[in-house]
Amino acid sequence: MKAKEVDRARAAAVALLRKARVPVTRSEIETMEIADMGLGDIRRLGLELIVYENNDRYCAKELVLLPRQICPEHRHPRINGRNLGKKETFRCRYGEVYLYVAGERTPGPKARIPPKYKPFFKVWHEIVLRPGDQYTLPPNSLHWFQAGDRGAVVSEFSSTSIDGCDVFTDPRIRRVGS
Amino acid sequence: MKAKEVDRARAAAVALLRKARVPVTRSEIETMEIADMGLGDIRRLGLELIVYENNDRYCAKELVLLPRQICPEHRHPRINGRNLGKKETFRCRYGEVYLYVAGERTPGPKARIPPKYKPFFKVWHEIVLRPGDQYTLPPNSLHWFQAGDRGAVVSEFSSTSIDGCDVFTDPRIRRVGS
């Protein structure tokens, strides 16, 4: 990703955090992860995130999605006999989020996926999250989400995050990070 | 606690959540825990809280402290061989919080404790949390906190919460809840 694109995504994410009145420190802004998942199309596919805490027991992050930005379909697999995969709760703080999980396909979904990415989105049961709404995903379950037209800020509460273990439906995706 | 006092604490907590721009649902307001710890002095000692999620792996709450309200000294003890006690992160969203933990006593602390409660506050190492600041406590460590003059809203991220197991320094305190 070009430095200019990273800077642009960061500035847009900071503007959304300000709109959401989520206080973050200067150092958190500087170290904010701008994740394009290796696809080089950050404005449409990826997300911006601040990891508040990630330890051996729990994790908390603030996720920012630019208008219509998509976090692509993935799951958090079983790590070992004790850790059956990351369990996570999404709580919408600002904007609107369209979250998709396994289940009956929702007719006329609110999400819009560019045709070239469509083959990599398999689950289409829609959950709409508005400020104050939340949803908890079981471990190892496929999911993806897209922000509405104004973008979104989403708090994520979870068990320990090991992003490098995530399994994406699109085999081209490379996820690095915590 | 009288119903009128509960209603007053709830209304004041909701006003602080609005000031902090933390979106909560009507049902969360209705089920908000108003915890006076059994001491019947909620305006000075206790807290208001919304539990967003508390499952077998992690917990997330929003804590509200009225102006100068004190969460009394306590620790989260070892539960068993696997759970050495609740580990928790406090992140200030609004106002100012004076958090006290074990360590060198801070001279001229910002907290003000009514004399009759003083014997039950043993740790005096001060950490000041302002919006965007956070602090993670190790399991089983004594701590307590007080809001500044404007009150405070604090996000708590933690391992599973089992409030009934908490050990308070003041033996009169009875803590029920999740």
Side-chain angles (χ1 to χ4, degrees), chain B residues 16-136:
Chain B
L16 279 165
L17 287 165
R18 294 224 167 105
K19 275 192 185 170
R21 307 288 185 109
V22 171
V24 294
T25 64
R26 189 178 300 246
S27 131
E28 285 169 338
I29 290 173
E30 282 163 9
T31 58
M32 183 189 286
E33 189 186 353
I34 314 296
D36 79 342
M37 319 284 176
L39 294 183
D41 191 9
I42 185 77
R43 278 198 291 178
R44 296 199 286 182
L45 209 139
L47 76 166
E48 295 69 39
L49 60 148
I50 292 173
V51 180
Y52 291 145
E53 174 70 14
N54 187 21
N55 60 44
D56 58 324
R57 302 178 68 181
Y58 57 90
C59 177
K61 303 176 180 177
E62 210 74 71
L63 312 180
V64 183
L65 293 156
L66 309 183
R68 287 288 169 181
Q69 202 177 29
I70 301 157
C71 176
E73 188 176 279
H74 65 285
R75 60 185 173 84
H76 308 288
R78 181 174 177 276
I79 302 296
N80 54 44
R82 278 195 185 183
N83 184 344
L84 303 177
K86 184 188 176 209
K87 184 169 178 173
E88 61 192 7
T89 302
F90 296 123
R91 183 173 177 95
C92 181
R93 296 269 181 189
Y94 173 85
E96 211 163 64
V97 185
Y98 313 127
L99 171 66
Y100 297 85
V101 298
E104 204 182 334
R105 190 185 180 95
T106 301
K110 290 179 187 290
R112 294 196 299 257
I113 304 295
K116 70 170 176 174
Y117 296 126
K118 274 234 165 135
F120 308 110
F121 291 79
K122 294 177 189 169
V123 298
W124 283 92
H125 183 72
E126 182 178 85
I127 292 142
V128 178
L129 299 177
R130 298 194 175 91
D133 294 339
Q134 66 178 50
Y135 189 84
T136 297

Side-chain angles (χ1 to χ4, degrees), chain A residues 9-154:
Chain A
R10 186 189 316 275
V14 169
L16 279 166
L17 286 166
R18 295 225 167 105
K19 276 191 185 171
R21 307 289 184 108
V22 171
V24 294
T25 64
R26 188 179 299 248
S27 131
E28 286 168 339
I29 290 172
E30 283 163 8
T31 58
M32 183 189 286
E33 189 186 352
I34 313 296
D36 78 343
M37 319 284 177
L39 294 183
D41 190 10
I42 186 75
R43 277 198 291 177
R44 296 199 287 181
L45 209 139
L47 78 166
E48 295 70 37
L49 60 148
I50 293 174
V51 180
Y52 290 144
E53 175 69 15
N54 187 21
N55 60 44
D56 57 325
R57 303 178 68 181
Y58 58 89
C59 177
K61 303 176 180 177
E62 209 75 71
L63 312 181
V64 183
L65 292 157
L66 308 184
R68 288 288 169 182
Q69 201 177 28
I70 301 157
C71 176
E73 189 175 278
H74 65 286
R75 60 186 172 85
H76 308 289
R78 182 175 176 276
I79 302 296
N80 55 43
R82 278 197 187 182
N83 185 343
L84 303 177
K86 186 189 177 209
K87 184 170 179 173
E88 62 193 7
T89 302
F90 295 122
R91 183 174 175 94
C92 181
R93 297 268 183 189
Y94 173 85
E96 210 164 64
V97 184
Y98 314 127
L99 171 66
Y100 296 85
V101 298
E104 204 182 333
R105 190 184 180 96
T106 301
K110 290 180 186 290
R112 295 197 298 257
I113 304 294
K116 69 171 175 175
Y117 296 127
K118 275 236 166 135
F120 308 110
F121 291 79
K122 293 177 191 169
V123 297
W124 283 92
H125 182 72
E126 181 178 86
I127 291 142
V128 178
L129 299 177
R130 299 194 174 92
D133 294 338
Q134 65 177 51
Y135 189 84
T136 298
L137 286 165
N140 208 4
S141 58
L142 276 178
H143 61 284
W144 61 275
F145 45 97
Q146 181 177 40
D149 294 333
R150 292 187 303 145
V153 176
V154 178

Side-chain angles (χ1 to χ4, degrees), chain B residues 6-18:
Chain B
V6 171
D7 290 346
R8 205 181 287 146
R10 185 189 315 276
V14 170
L16 279 165
L17 287 165
R18 294 224 167 105

